[in-house]
Amino acid sequence: MDGHVATLTLNRPAKLNAVTPPMSAALVDAVHWCDHTPDIRVIVVTGAGERSFSVGSDIRELDRYATPWDFRNRTDYCDAIRAARTPTIAAVNGYALGGGLETALSCDIRLAADTASFGAPEITLGWIGGGGMTAFLSRAAGPSNAAWLVMTGERIDAARALEWHLVSEVVAPSRLLDRARELAATIASRAPIAAETAKINLRAAHSLPEDKALEYERDLQTICFATEDAAEGRRAFAEKRPPVFHRR
């Protein structure tokens, strides 16, 4: 934790940060802890080492599930990241494949090293992703590009990921984590209730009809406007000084 920013690192570099069931459970717990720690305002998710963000679930662990139904109802780290109240930033430092791509897609903002690559290789093994791959990939990259990735199993590089709007920015590997933390610090300096509300509103905007999305946005704006932080923002503007927000 650095100031108001927590960094969660997938730490199994020798296996390209492939996620085991204990790692999944630990990530779920870590996200939950961040959400319930008032000082944390932004979460950065990244991978250990220089080669990989994450290649998703460790395939050798999948046969440990007694039945397909047990596999269906497993603890899912992507679900936890998407459900986080706290804004999230993915710092994609290498391979983002399968569940690793889903992990990145589950974050609100994605930055990538110029050495990163992205792919949905599950089809080469006989199945498809189940952690939000099609839903979130098609929203980010568009239906045709999503189909290209999901149906071929082939990878794209960071430049194409930027072109396809999978990521917001591509930087040198040596700058990636610093850049992610700079962005996180900027968000953390804003009113935290407003930032969390913006996250809720952005997610809702994808699933609500336009008239309902506008109505919901107005309601959320009203809630934010009634906070002490909003009053502080107005005072600071009038007094020509930076605001100091307290999550109230």
Side-chain angles (χ1 to χ4, degrees), residues 90-109:
V92 182
N93 54 304
Y95 301 129
L97 306 178
L101 175 54
E102 291 171 333
T103 300
L105 290 168
S106 296
C107 292
D108 301 308
I109 299 171

Side-chain angles (χ1 to χ4, degrees), residues 113-115 171-179:
D114 58 21
T115 53
V171 300
S174 61
R175 277 280 297 143
L176 177 65
L177 201 52
D178 285 343
R179 178 66 184 120

Side-chain angles (χ1 to χ4, degrees), residues 41 190-194 224-235 243-248:
R41 298 183 181 181
R190 310 310 188 204
I193 294 174
C224 287
F225 193 77
T227 63
E228 291 182 24
D229 281 348
E232 161 64 9
R234 297 191 295 275
R235 281 194 302 271
V244 179
F245 299 118
H246 297 287
R247 196 192 290 272
R248 293 197 291 265

Side-chain angles (χ1 to χ4, degrees), residues 21-184:
M23 286 174 66
S24 178
L27 184 55
V28 170
D29 288 345
V31 171
H32 186 266
W33 180 82
C34 289
D35 261 354
H36 290 82
T37 301
D39 281 346
I40 295 176
R41 298 183 181 181
V42 185
I43 300 169
V44 173
V45 182
T46 194
E50 299 178 354
R51 296 180 61 199
S52 182
F53 175 72
S54 176
V55 293
S57 297
D58 189 330
I59 294 170
R60 286 165 294 193
E61 296 282 339
L62 298 183
D63 287 335
R64 294 181 182 271
Y65 293 99
T67 68
W69 190 242
D70 288 334
F71 174 68
R72 162 65 178 79
N73 293 304
R74 70 195 182 281
T75 300
D76 191 279
Y77 49 97
C78 294
D79 289 347
I81 293 171
R82 283 194 297 273
R85 180 177 66 247
T86 309
T88 53
I89 299 172
V92 182
N93 54 304
Y95 301 129
L97 306 178
L101 175 54
E102 291 171 333
T103 300
L105 290 168
S106 296
C107 292
D108 301 308
I109 299 171
R110 292 170 292 282
L111 308 180
D114 58 21
T115 53
S117 60
F118 302 78
E122 290 92 341
I123 197 167
T124 67
L125 299 172
W127 63 87
I128 62 171
M133 183 69 80
T134 55
F136 290 93
L137 187 57
S138 60
R139 288 180 188 174
S144 178
N145 292 332
W148 192 96
L149 284 167
V150 171
M151 293 180 182
T152 67
E154 296 180 359
R155 301 177 193 176
I156 61 171
D157 61 17
R160 180 163 290 187
L162 182 63
E163 178 186 338
W164 286 5
H165 306 293
L166 283 180
V167 299
S168 297
E169 193 173 318
V170 173
V171 300
S174 61
R175 277 280 297 143
L176 177 65
L177 201 52
D178 285 343
R179 178 66 184 120
R181 287 172 174 158
E182 287 172 4
L183 180 60

